[in-house]
Amino acid sequence: MKMETKVKTFDCKHFINGEYVASKSGKTFENLNPATEELLGTVCEGGKEEIDRAVKAARKALNGPWKKIKQNERIAILRRIGDIILERKDELARLESLDTGKPYWLASSVDIPRAAYNFHFFADYLRGIGTEAYQMDDDAINYSIRRPVGVVGLINPWNLPLLLLTWKLAPCLAAGNTAVIKPAELTPLTATVLGEICRDAGVPDGVVNIVHGFGPNSAGAALTEHPDVDAISFTGETTTGKVIMASAAKTLKKLSYELGGKNPNIIFADSDLDEVIETTIKSSFINQGEVCLCGSRIYVERPIYDQFLEKFVAKTKELKIGDPFDPQTKIGALISKEHYERVNGYLDLAKEEGGQFLTGGKRPEGLKKGYYLEPTIIVGLDRSCQVVQEEIFGPVVTVIPFDSEEEVIMQANDTHYGLSATIWTNNLRRAHRVAAQIEAGIIWVNTWFLRDLRTPFGGMKQSGIGREGGMHSFEFYSELSNICIKL
Ligand code: NAD
């Protein structure tokens, strides 16, 4: 059966206290399909009023039904959310693809299964969590107890909408908190469906609330300013993170930040070139390069520089761009007109800065509608160029040759970001030596995007504050109290 890729209009309401509701103001905004520029539906625009209702519902549920539920039942509910996401995988993948412009196969094989796994993983992880105890000779014993932080605001970006939302929501609920979610305004669809999924899984009313809207002077700002929100977990741009920090400071909220990146992909001459090319195609262009972990700065050791470029350019030219619902499509549409223009602005800048385009740099021929851009490889830029320094968040990479380990480490660290890095080498000692000197929170050697959810995930420098994953997520989403008993 051929998949229905045309849209029956999907209007998004808020999900507050277990019910879908419109904004009191009646305000809505339009949601467009970036691949066709067609209207997907309208979205209720929330503000102070809706955030306030959602926070009140979340507070009531925190101290009411959610608190009373025993850990075993909480685990069962989380697992059921994961199960229902899998049962509804095709529908969710279709919505994710319509909303973001990403290939359907990608949403169906990565975004949605991983969203389900986020719940399964944190449900299982919860069962094994303990706390610390320290004895002070025969004088006293200390032990700590863990409790939820409270009402947590979860603010999300548009690039991996359900995957990243659930990466926050699952540990947030596992640790006993209640949540007010602000999805990205560009991608409200799967977040809206998640409300219903949580309800069907047995999540009590008020535990999960979803308020749509924008950032400044809208739902996002109202959430970060709200005096009864205890913590904010934010994933998005570094500049937005700075604004949120200033706003959250007024009520001293606990903050977790997953921000932007400009990640180096370092390729030494002794690496297996075919493997490098295969993975570098993905780490450069998957999801149209709209992944915070994409390796957008490629450094290649001089002896294989020409050979690398020849193969990399040839493979890039083979990538099929276009209809996200065509299974052959490797590159879909960028998220919005505004973002498309922003990325194109960087291409203009690259030309001004003296860059040469080995492929890409333009709209693919024959695609009249949609925010499509050919995957682009740029050489000839100096490390101080803006295009090499700033996050573009599109299918654009720069390639720069290097002559020594010291030089490439210096170049890799020469940015205010520090999210991830990839190192390609078959020299074991060098792998350890270089990895330890790269300023990034996540470092892969001879691979990319290989994730074990128990490991610390997050950035250093201006790429983030704190870590998510396994115990690190629980540290953020819980408060510890130490109890000292004199014996
Ligand atoms: P963005 O910062 O523009 O928006 C993210 C969210 O913040 C949206 O929901 C938006 O409405 C909200 N927001 C904006 N201004 C706000 C304000 N003043 N107060 C409260 N909320 C506000 O980011 P984006 O364009 O949606 O996402 C792309 C960025 O996210 C890139 O920089 C990318 O690197 C980063 N990102 C990082 C990670 C990571 O794990 N480190 C993962 C994915 C994306």
Side-chain angles (χ1 to χ4, degrees), residues 154-160 164 167-168 182-187 213-225 232 234-241 243-244 247 257-263 290-293 335 339 342 391 393 417 419 442 457-459 463-464 468:
L154 310 178
I155 304 180
N156 298 280
W158 45 257
N159 62 327
L160 306 166
L164 290 175
W167 175 236
K168 293 186 187 306
K182 213 299 276 165
E185 53 272 34
L186 293 169
T187 53
F214 300 92
N217 305 312
S218 184
L223 185 57
T224 60
E225 283 163 12
I232 297 281
F234 168 73
T235 298
E237 279 194 25
T238 298
T239 46
T240 313
V243 175
I244 291 179
S247 158
Y257 272 1
E258 298 294 347
L259 307 176
K262 186 75 180 176
N263 312 304
E290 296 166 328
V291 180
C292 56
L293 303 167
I335 187 70
H339 188 57
R342 186 172 169 269
E391 184 185 45
F393 218 56
Y417 290 112
L419 186 57
I442 305 146
F457 179 93
S463 284
E468 297 181 329

Side-chain angles (χ1 to χ4, degrees), residues 246-268:
S247 158
K250 290 180 204 137
T251 44
L252 214 66
K253 291 179 177 38
K254 191 174 183 184
L255 291 175
S256 166
Y257 272 1
E258 298 294 347
L259 307 176
K262 186 75 180 176
N263 312 304
N265 178 4
I266 302 168
I267 301 163
F268 285 97

